[in-house]
């Protein structure tokens, strides 16, 4: 098949590649492929025989032609030789002269037999010719006359389709034995010998005959080939479908092999995980199959009670798939744990948009995503290259990103780095003595710009001063919101898994610690904003210094500054104390509680299997290992997963309670949590840094291209403008949207994986791997 | 027009939107997705707007721009 190169139809041409094959289909397929194989084999065989005949005939034709040439050339020489041999045989010579050319040749030919010279003619591969010559020379001690010439066109070997270039040779020698020897040698070297007649007329007849046979053969060959081709194309059209059916059948049997056989009751028993809410579907499908197959024995579905942790399975649709993949890439969610993918549907693109905020760029993203979603079905079937395939996979993520980027663009008042004057500005330019506008401005009394940043900041000298302060605080506040939100999920998890110690030993002290420092910082930021400091006639205190003094000299404020509010120093003191108290609580409460539970269980005489404390101890260990988050705890991660899988293998789910180990885990968890509160809050400043970079880059791009373009006027100016616009747009799409977008996406990804998921994610689940023809075919596609 | 009460008005609007999203979300197996996505989007957009609004409520610096053209 490959030899001929017949194309196959793609599997998508068949209406429904994912349905299961029926039994009759397979039998039919087996019969069909059997008969087809026989037919193809016989066709191939006859084709090859014919081809071989053709090659032989071609070679013979070449031999005849070339040998004829040798004889003609040799004639002159023989005449000379003959002259020397029988000098007085004049009448014969005259006779030759009298009877024209043909007779002369015949006479010359005849003279070979007179001289007792025999010859061998044949064809040999060109690379062997040197060896052939040498061997002949040595064995015959030079008693031969050899002539050879190359066949200009390569000869095709029918068995393996290789091209071989060959030479025609003809050897003259004395004596029957020598000729026989030459024959043997040449045959052993892979030469094909052909009979050539000395008589030139006979030779001509031979050539004619060979030619007619060749042409006959060629027509037969053509017919055979066309039937063969037709047969192969017919197969090629269906081969993909057949391969799919075979693959499905193979996978089904592999799964069936996993069933265990009950000898006493003569039944097959399959144990498998199934989603609870599709149990009904499973039962009805099985009974359907039973009815259709007409079996007398029904298939029975039973639910088995087990202490093993079931695998994690989340039903996804086209929209949620991308987000679920993001989360699954970090770790498999523990069974029945809160799925972080659900809030990530919003928070992931939103964090992206905070860094990518530009109305125009957001619009480009949105349009691209809408186009991909619109042509979804077509694109799903076609083969995409790696990069585009990745973007297409996340098309709904890009869609959400586009929407939120447009929103944050409106908030930042940026569209391709230009301002968007949607509402009346809250600033008016002052007029100076000469009646000119600026440089200072004043505020319209009692009016605040209603939506987003005021557009009048665009292009001002102190634009960066204002927007940096705003975006920095925005990042801190959003980070605080996101982390508090994520921390709440650990409460939900603890409540679901009924581990109150996780609430009192981890969640509550952690929350108090976090809020008393960073919640207070967020509160101060907002408080500082809503106080009208100008009206008070005070200069507001710096929040950064406030935080530093809160730690370095508790109970005092920065010298020389007014307090934010009354009793600030005392409140800060109390908050700090609360945070400090939470540390030992977090450190000791949980290990102590676990130890007490364990001892209590021991005292009551519980030992061996099914100790509730042990199970919970295991859970807690895992919890600590994973709640740490960050890169440091990857080692723990592996251990946890390995242990769980081992458990499934052996069906044991408890281990010895080791107080030291629990304590170490808790110490690591506490230290990491406290340090991470600081570092993660700082980490959210990337929102500010990236949005600043994005905005500045798009401003620079605009100034370097379009702004220069506007300087030209007239006809030439318009042409220049078109070129510049093209360049600007290309750079906008590739640099600002694709490059910057990728970097913003990676940062958003990090914020979710590290900053948010470390607050609640356990992630020691085992993925659910249902048997599906669809995934089977996707993993190993039929080419 | 827009004064100190705006955040509360915005909060009420968002609350109404969230309630509507909660009750009007399409029924079926995707109901949770609909609800959480709509509510969370509304809340995060509101927070973003609120922060921006509050930052400009009592700004400490004013725009400074030399070299303005008269009509600007």
């Amino acid at each position: 098949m490959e030899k001929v190169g017949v194309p196959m139809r793609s599997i998508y041409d068949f209406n429904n590649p994912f349905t299961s094959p029926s039994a009759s289909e397979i039998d039919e397929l087996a019969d069909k492929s059997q008969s087809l194989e026989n037919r193809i084999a016989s066709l191939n065989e006859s084709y090859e025989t014919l081809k071989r005949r053709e090659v032989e005939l071609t070679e013979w034709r070449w031999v005849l032609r070339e040998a004829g040439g040798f004889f003609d050339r040799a004639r002159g020489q023989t005449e000379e030789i003959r002259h020397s041999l029988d000098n007085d045989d004049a009448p014969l010579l005259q006779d030759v002269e009298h009877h024209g050319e043909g007779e002369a040749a015949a006479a010359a030919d005849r003279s070979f037999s007179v001289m007792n010279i025999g010859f061998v003619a044949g064809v040999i591969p060109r690379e062997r010719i040197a060896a052939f010559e040498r061997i002949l020379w040595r064995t015959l001690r030079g008693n031969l006359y050899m002539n050879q010439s190359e066949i200009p066109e390569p000869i095709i070997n029918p068995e393996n389709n290789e091209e071989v270039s060959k030479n025609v040779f003809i050897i003259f020698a004395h004596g029957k034995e020598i000729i026989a020897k030459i024959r043997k040698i040449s045959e052993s070297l892979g030469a094909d010998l052909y009979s050539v007649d000395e008589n030139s007329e006979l030779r001509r007849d031979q050539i004619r005959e060979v030619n007619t046979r060749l042409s006959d053969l060629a027509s037969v060959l053509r017919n055979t080939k066309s039937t063969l081709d037709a047969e192969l194309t017919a197969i090629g059209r269906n081969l993909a479908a057949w391969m799919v059916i075979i693959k499905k059948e193979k996978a089904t049997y592999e799964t069936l092999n996993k069933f265990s056989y009950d000898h006493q009751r003569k039944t097959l028993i399959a144990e498998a995980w199934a989603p609870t809410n599709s149990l009904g579907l499973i039962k009805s499908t099985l009974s359907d199959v039973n009815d259709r197959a007409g079996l007398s024995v029904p298939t029975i579905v039973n639910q088995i009670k087990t202490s093993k942790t079931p695998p994690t399975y989340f039903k996804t649709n086209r929209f949620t798939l991308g987000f679920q993949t993001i989360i699954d890439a970090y770790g498999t969610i523990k069974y029945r744990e809160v799925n972080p993918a659900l809030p990530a549907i919003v928070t992931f693109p939103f964090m992206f948009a905070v860094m990518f905020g530009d109305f125009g760029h957001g619009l480009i993203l949105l349009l691209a995503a809408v186009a991909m979603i619109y042509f979804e079905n077509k694109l799903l079937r076609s083969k995409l290259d790696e990069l585009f395939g990745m973007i297409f996979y996340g098309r709904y993520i890009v869609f959400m990103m586009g929407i939120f980027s447009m929103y944050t663009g409106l908030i930042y008042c940026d569209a391709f780095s230009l301002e968007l004057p949607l509402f009346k500005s809250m600033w008016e330019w002052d007029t100076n003595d000469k009646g000119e506008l600026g440089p200072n401005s004043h505020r319209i009394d009692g009016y605040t710009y209603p939506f987003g940043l005021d557009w009048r900041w665009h292009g001002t000298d102190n634009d960066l001063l204002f927007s940096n302060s705003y975006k920095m605080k925005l990042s801190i506040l959003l980070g605080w919101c996101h982390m508090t939100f994520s921390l709440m999920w650990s409460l939900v998890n603890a409540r679901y898994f009924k581990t109150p110690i996780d609430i009192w030993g981890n969640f509550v002290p952690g929350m108090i610690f976090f809020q008393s420092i960073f919640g207070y910082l967020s509160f101060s930021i907002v408080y500082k904003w809503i106080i009208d400091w100008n009206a008070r006639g005070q200069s507001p205190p710096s929040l950064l210094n406030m935080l530093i003094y809160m730690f370095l000299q508790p109970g005092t404020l920065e010298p020389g500054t007014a307090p934010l509010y009354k009793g600030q120093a005392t409140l800060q003191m109390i908050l700090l104390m609360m945070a400090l108290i939470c540390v030992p609580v977090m450190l000791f409460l949980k290990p102590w509680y676990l130890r007490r539970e364990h001892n209590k269980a021991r005292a009551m005489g519980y030992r061996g299997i099914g100790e509730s404390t042990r199970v919970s101890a295991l859970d807690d260990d895992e919890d600590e290992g994973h709640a740490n988050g960050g890169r440091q705890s990857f080692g723990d991660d592996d251990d946890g997963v390995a242990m769980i899988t081992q458990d499934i293998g052996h069906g044991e789910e408890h281990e010895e309670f080791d107080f030291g180990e629990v304590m170490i885990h808790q110490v690591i968890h506490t230290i990491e949590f406290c340090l991470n509160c600081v570092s993660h809050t700082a980490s959210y400043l990337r929102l500010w840094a990236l949005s600043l970079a994005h905005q500045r880059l798009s401003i620079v791009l605009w100034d370097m291209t379009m702004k220069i373009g506007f300087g030209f006027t007239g006809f030439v100016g318009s042409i220049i403008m078109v070129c510049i616009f093209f360049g600007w747009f290309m750079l906008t799409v590739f640099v600002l949207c694709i490059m910057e977008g990728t970097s913003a996406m990676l940062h958003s990804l990090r914020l979710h994986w590290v900053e948010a998921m470390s607050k609640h994610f356990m992630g020691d689940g085992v993925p659910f791997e249902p048997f599906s023809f669809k995934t089977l075919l996707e993993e190993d596609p039929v080419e | 027009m827009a004064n100190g009460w705006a955040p509360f008005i915005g909060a009420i609007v968002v609350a109404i939107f969230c309630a509507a999203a909660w009750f009007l979300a399409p029924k079926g197996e995707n109901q949770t997705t609909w609800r959480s996505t709509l509510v969370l989007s509304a809340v995060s957009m509101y927070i973003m707007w609120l922060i921006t609004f509050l930052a400009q409520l009592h700004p400490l610096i004013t725009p400074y721009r030399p070299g303005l053209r008269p009509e600007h």
Side-chain angles (χ1 to χ4, degrees), chain A residues 327-353:
Chain A
I327 302 299
D328 286 345
Y330 184 71
T332 306
I333 299 154
K334 187 187 168 91
Y335 181 65
R336 303 301 285 169
E337 187 194 349
V338 165
N339 183 5
L342 195 61
I345 292 174
V346 175
T347 52
F348 178 74
F350 191 78
M351 289 289 168
F352 168 87

mmCIF file of all heavy atoms in Angstrom, chain A residues 327-353:
data_model
loop_
_atom_site.group_PDB
_atom_site.id
_atom_site.type_symbol
_atom_site.label_atom_id
_atom_site.label_comp_id
_atom_site.label_asym_id
_atom_site.label_seq_id
_atom_site.Cartn_x
_atom_site.Cartn_y
_atom_site.Cartn_z
ATOM 1 N N ILE A 327 -6.060 24.338 36.442
ATOM 2 C CA ILE A 327 -5.953 23.890 37.827
ATOM 3 C C ILE A 327 -5.339 22.489 37.877
ATOM 4 O O ILE A 327 -4.468 22.207 38.698
ATOM 5 C CB ILE A 327 -7.351 23.880 38.489
ATOM 6 C CG1 ILE A 327 -7.962 25.277 38.431
ATOM 7 C CG2 ILE A 327 -7.266 23.402 39.923
ATOM 8 C CD1 ILE A 327 -7.191 26.340 39.145
ATOM 9 N N ASP A 328 -5.788 21.619 36.966
ATOM 10 C CA ASP A 328 -5.266 20.255 36.974
ATOM 11 C C ASP A 328 -3.780 20.210 36.660
ATOM 12 O O ASP A 328 -3.079 19.285 37.069
ATOM 13 C CB ASP A 328 -6.027 19.395 35.953
ATOM 14 C CG ASP A 328 -7.418 19.059 36.453
ATOM 15 O OD1 ASP A 328 -7.642 19.238 37.663
ATOM 16 O OD2 ASP A 328 -8.258 18.640 35.652
ATOM 17 N N ALA A 329 -3.309 21.219 35.925
ATOM 18 C CA ALA A 329 -1.879 21.249 35.609
ATOM 19 C C ALA A 329 -1.059 21.429 36.878
ATOM 20 O O ALA A 329 0.101 21.030 36.940
ATOM 21 C CB ALA A 329 -1.583 22.383 34.630
ATOM 22 N N TYR A 330 -1.649 22.014 37.907
ATOM 23 C CA TYR A 330 -0.913 22.230 39.156
ATOM 24 C C TYR A 330 -0.966 20.982 40.032
ATOM 25 O O TYR A 330 0.027 20.596 40.624
ATOM 26 C CB TYR A 330 -1.512 23.423 39.891
ATOM 27 C CG TYR A 330 -0.773 23.784 41.142
ATOM 28 C CD1 TYR A 330 0.479 24.367 41.061
ATOM 29 C CD2 TYR A 330 -1.309 23.547 42.394
ATOM 30 C CE1 TYR A 330 1.175 24.701 42.196
ATOM 31 C CE2 TYR A 330 -0.618 23.879 43.533
ATOM 32 C CZ TYR A 330 0.624 24.457 43.431
ATOM 33 O OH TYR A 330 1.311 24.787 44.555
ATOM 34 N N GLY A 331 -2.114 20.385 40.108
ATOM 35 C CA GLY A 331 -2.234 19.188 40.930
ATOM 36 C C GLY A 331 -3.647 18.670 40.821
ATOM 37 O O GLY A 331 -4.567 19.424 40.523
ATOM 38 N N THR A 332 -3.788 17.373 41.044
ATOM 39 C CA THR A 332 -5.130 16.807 40.976
ATOM 40 C C THR A 332 -5.859 17.105 42.279
ATOM 41 O O THR A 332 -5.340 16.873 43.363
ATOM 42 C CB THR A 332 -5.056 15.303 40.746
ATOM 43 O OG1 THR A 332 -4.255 15.080 39.600
ATOM 44 C CG2 THR A 332 -6.433 14.741 40.513
ATOM 45 N N ILE A 333 -7.044 17.621 42.144
ATOM 46 C CA ILE A 333 -7.821 18.039 43.295
ATOM 47 C C ILE A 333 -8.224 16.825 44.118
ATOM 48 O O ILE A 333 -8.585 15.784 43.574
ATOM 49 C CB ILE A 333 -9.052 18.815 42.785
ATOM 50 C CG1 ILE A 333 -8.586 20.042 42.010
ATOM 51 C CG2 ILE A 333 -9.961 19.207 43.919
ATOM 52 C CD1 ILE A 333 -9.550 20.517 40.998
ATOM 53 N N LYS A 334 -8.152 16.980 45.441
ATOM 54 C CA LYS A 334 -8.561 15.890 46.324
ATOM 55 C C LYS A 334 -10.052 15.623 46.134
ATOM 56 O O LYS A 334 -10.828 16.538 45.846
ATOM 57 C CB LYS A 334 -8.279 16.307 47.760
ATOM 58 C CG LYS A 334 -8.494 15.241 48.804
ATOM 59 C CD LYS A 334 -8.318 15.905 50.168
ATOM 60 C CE LYS A 334 -8.782 15.004 51.276
ATOM 61 N NZ LYS A 334 -7.701 14.189 51.782
ATOM 62 N N TYR A 335 -10.426 14.354 46.315
ATOM 63 C CA TYR A 335 -11.819 13.976 46.117
ATOM 64 C C TYR A 335 -12.740 14.790 47.014
ATOM 65 O O TYR A 335 -12.549 14.844 48.214
ATOM 66 C CB TYR A 335 -11.972 12.467 46.403
ATOM 67 C CG TYR A 335 -13.362 11.937 46.207
ATOM 68 C CD1 TYR A 335 -13.932 11.927 44.948
ATOM 69 C CD2 TYR A 335 -14.090 11.467 47.276
ATOM 70 C CE1 TYR A 335 -15.201 11.447 44.760
ATOM 71 C CE2 TYR A 335 -15.367 10.982 47.103
ATOM 72 C CZ TYR A 335 -15.927 10.977 45.840
ATOM 73 O OH TYR A 335 -17.193 10.514 45.656
ATOM 74 N N ARG A 336 -13.738 15.414 46.436
ATOM 75 C CA ARG A 336 -14.743 16.239 47.115
ATOM 76 C C ARG A 336 -14.177 17.530 47.705
ATOM 77 O O ARG A 336 -14.822 18.169 48.521
ATOM 78 C CB ARG A 336 -15.476 15.468 48.223
ATOM 79 C CG ARG A 336 -16.149 14.205 47.771
ATOM 80 C CD ARG A 336 -17.165 14.422 46.712
ATOM 81 N NE ARG A 336 -18.406 15.009 47.223
ATOM 82 C CZ ARG A 336 -19.368 15.493 46.447
ATOM 83 N NH1 ARG A 336 -19.211 15.501 45.147
ATOM 84 N NH2 ARG A 336 -20.460 15.984 46.954
ATOM 85 N N GLU A 337 -12.991 17.913 47.326
ATOM 86 C CA GLU A 337 -12.447 19.183 47.782
ATOM 87 C C GLU A 337 -13.053 20.301 46.940
ATOM 88 O O GLU A 337 -13.579 20.050 45.855
ATOM 89 C CB GLU A 337 -10.924 19.166 47.607
ATOM 90 C CG GLU A 337 -10.207 20.357 48.192
ATOM 91 C CD GLU A 337 -8.770 20.458 47.698
ATOM 92 O OE1 GLU A 337 -8.292 19.511 47.079
ATOM 93 O OE2 GLU A 337 -8.161 21.499 47.924
ATOM 94 N N VAL A 338 -12.956 21.530 47.462
ATOM 95 C CA VAL A 338 -13.431 22.682 46.683
ATOM 96 C C VAL A 338 -12.644 22.756 45.383
ATOM 97 O O VAL A 338 -11.420 22.639 45.385
ATOM 98 C CB VAL A 338 -13.216 23.972 47.486
ATOM 99 C CG1 VAL A 338 -13.357 25.178 46.592
ATOM 100 C CG2 VAL A 338 -14.210 24.046 48.618
ATOM 101 N N ASN A 339 -13.339 22.923 44.286
ATOM 102 C CA ASN A 339 -12.674 23.001 42.986
ATOM 103 C C ASN A 339 -12.290 24.443 42.699
ATOM 104 O O ASN A 339 -13.158 25.274 42.447
ATOM 105 C CB ASN A 339 -13.624 22.480 41.912
ATOM 106 C CG ASN A 339 -12.984 22.466 40.543
ATOM 107 O OD1 ASN A 339 -11.801 22.759 40.413
ATOM 108 N ND2 ASN A 339 -13.761 22.137 39.538
ATOM 109 N N PRO A 340 -10.995 24.768 42.705
ATOM 110 C CA PRO A 340 -10.605 26.166 42.489
ATOM 111 C C PRO A 340 -10.869 26.634 41.062
ATOM 112 O O PRO A 340 -10.750 27.824 40.783
ATOM 113 C CB PRO A 340 -9.106 26.171 42.785
ATOM 114 C CG PRO A 340 -8.754 24.811 43.240
ATOM 115 C CD PRO A 340 -9.855 23.894 42.890
ATOM 116 N N ALA A 341 -11.207 25.706 40.178
ATOM 117 C CA ALA A 341 -11.434 26.114 38.788
ATOM 118 C C ALA A 341 -12.687 26.956 38.663
ATOM 119 O O ALA A 341 -12.791 27.794 37.763
ATOM 120 C CB ALA A 341 -11.555 24.881 37.898
ATOM 121 N N LEU A 342 -13.644 26.751 39.571
ATOM 122 C CA LEU A 342 -14.903 27.486 39.449
ATOM 123 C C LEU A 342 -14.695 28.992 39.671
ATOM 124 O O LEU A 342 -15.080 29.789 38.805
ATOM 125 C CB LEU A 342 -15.917 26.904 40.437
ATOM 126 C CG LEU A 342 -17.354 27.311 40.190
ATOM 127 C CD1 LEU A 342 -17.828 26.853 38.831
ATOM 128 C CD2 LEU A 342 -18.253 26.749 41.264
ATOM 129 N N PRO A 343 -14.070 29.421 40.775
ATOM 130 C CA PRO A 343 -13.788 30.857 40.878
ATOM 131 C C PRO A 343 -12.750 31.318 39.860
ATOM 132 O O PRO A 343 -12.768 32.481 39.455
ATOM 133 C CB PRO A 343 -13.283 31.038 42.308
ATOM 134 C CG PRO A 343 -12.879 29.700 42.764
ATOM 135 C CD PRO A 343 -13.758 28.735 42.046
ATOM 136 N N ALA A 344 -11.855 30.415 39.445
ATOM 137 C CA ALA A 344 -10.817 30.822 38.498
ATOM 138 C C ALA A 344 -11.399 31.228 37.154
ATOM 139 O O ALA A 344 -10.755 31.962 36.404
ATOM 140 C CB ALA A 344 -9.813 29.685 38.295
ATOM 141 N N ILE A 345 -12.621 30.781 36.851
ATOM 142 C CA ILE A 345 -13.269 31.202 35.607
ATOM 143 C C ILE A 345 -13.317 32.723 35.548
ATOM 144 O O ILE A 345 -13.155 33.325 34.489
ATOM 145 C CB ILE A 345 -14.690 30.617 35.515
ATOM 146 C CG1 ILE A 345 -14.626 29.114 35.336
ATOM 147 C CG2 ILE A 345 -15.470 31.250 34.375
ATOM 148 C CD1 ILE A 345 -15.971 28.459 35.381
ATOM 149 N N VAL A 346 -13.521 33.343 36.709
ATOM 150 C CA VAL A 346 -13.555 34.803 36.730
ATOM 151 C C VAL A 346 -12.215 35.379 37.158
ATOM 152 O O VAL A 346 -11.674 36.258 36.489
ATOM 153 C CB VAL A 346 -14.667 35.300 37.673
ATOM 154 C CG1 VAL A 346 -14.624 36.794 37.793
ATOM 155 C CG2 VAL A 346 -16.006 34.843 37.165
ATOM 156 N N THR A 347 -11.643 34.858 38.261
ATOM 157 C CA THR A 347 -10.464 35.534 38.797
ATOM 158 C C THR A 347 -9.273 35.442 37.866
ATOM 159 O O THR A 347 -8.497 36.385 37.767
ATOM 160 C CB THR A 347 -10.088 34.954 40.173
ATOM 161 O OG1 THR A 347 -9.985 33.545 40.058
ATOM 162 C CG2 THR A 347 -11.119 35.304 41.207
ATOM 163 N N PHE A 348 -9.121 34.310 37.168
ATOM 164 C CA PHE A 348 -7.949 34.192 36.296
ATOM 165 C C PHE A 348 -7.961 35.242 35.179
ATOM 166 O O PHE A 348 -7.010 36.009 35.051
ATOM 167 C CB PHE A 348 -7.858 32.771 35.736
ATOM 168 C CG PHE A 348 -6.715 32.552 34.803
ATOM 169 C CD1 PHE A 348 -5.425 32.454 35.286
ATOM 170 C CD2 PHE A 348 -6.924 32.483 33.440
ATOM 171 C CE1 PHE A 348 -4.369 32.282 34.438
ATOM 172 C CE2 PHE A 348 -5.867 32.298 32.578
ATOM 173 C CZ PHE A 348 -4.582 32.199 33.090
ATOM 174 N N PRO A 349 -9.027 35.339 34.389
ATOM 175 C CA PRO A 349 -9.005 36.396 33.377
ATOM 176 C C PRO A 349 -9.045 37.802 33.973
ATOM 177 O O PRO A 349 -8.525 38.732 33.362
ATOM 178 C CB PRO A 349 -10.259 36.134 32.531
ATOM 179 C CG PRO A 349 -10.979 35.065 33.172
ATOM 180 C CD PRO A 349 -10.183 34.469 34.263
ATOM 181 N N PHE A 350 -9.623 37.923 35.154
ATOM 182 C CA PHE A 350 -9.697 39.257 35.739
ATOM 183 C C PHE A 350 -8.314 39.747 36.159
ATOM 184 O O PHE A 350 -7.934 40.880 35.864
ATOM 185 C CB PHE A 350 -10.642 39.244 36.949
ATOM 186 C CG PHE A 350 -10.970 40.612 37.433
ATOM 187 C CD1 PHE A 350 -11.897 41.391 36.759
ATOM 188 C CD2 PHE A 350 -10.357 41.138 38.551
ATOM 189 C CE1 PHE A 350 -12.182 42.665 37.196
ATOM 190 C CE2 PHE A 350 -10.637 42.406 38.990
ATOM 191 C CZ PHE A 350 -11.554 43.184 38.309
ATOM 192 N N MET A 351 -7.545 38.872 36.810
ATOM 193 C CA MET A 351 -6.174 39.238 37.181
ATOM 194 C C MET A 351 -5.364 39.555 35.925
ATOM 195 O O MET A 351 -4.559 40.484 35.910
ATOM 196 C CB MET A 351 -5.496 38.086 37.928
ATOM 197 C CG MET A 351 -6.034 37.852 39.304
ATOM 198 S SD MET A 351 -5.551 39.187 40.390
ATOM 199 C CE MET A 351 -6.585 38.872 41.784
ATOM 200 N N PHE A 352 -5.596 38.756 34.894
ATOM 201 C CA PHE A 352 -4.935 39.027 33.613
ATOM 202 C C PHE A 352 -5.282 40.428 33.134
ATOM 203 O O PHE A 352 -4.418 41.199 32.737
ATOM 204 C CB PHE A 352 -5.389 37.983 32.591
ATOM 205 C CG PHE A 352 -5.023 38.299 31.172
ATOM 206 C CD1 PHE A 352 -3.794 37.928 30.667
ATOM 207 C CD2 PHE A 352 -5.898 38.988 30.347
ATOM 208 C CE1 PHE A 352 -3.441 38.231 29.375
ATOM 209 C CE2 PHE A 352 -5.556 39.292 29.051
ATOM 210 C CZ PHE A 352 -4.323 38.910 28.565
ATOM 211 N N ALA A 353 -6.568 40.760 33.215
ATOM 212 C CA ALA A 353 -7.029 42.032 32.671
ATOM 213 C C ALA A 353 -6.475 43.206 33.463
ATOM 214 O O ALA A 353 -6.218 44.270 32.898
ATOM 215 C CB ALA A 353 -8.548 42.067 32.672
#
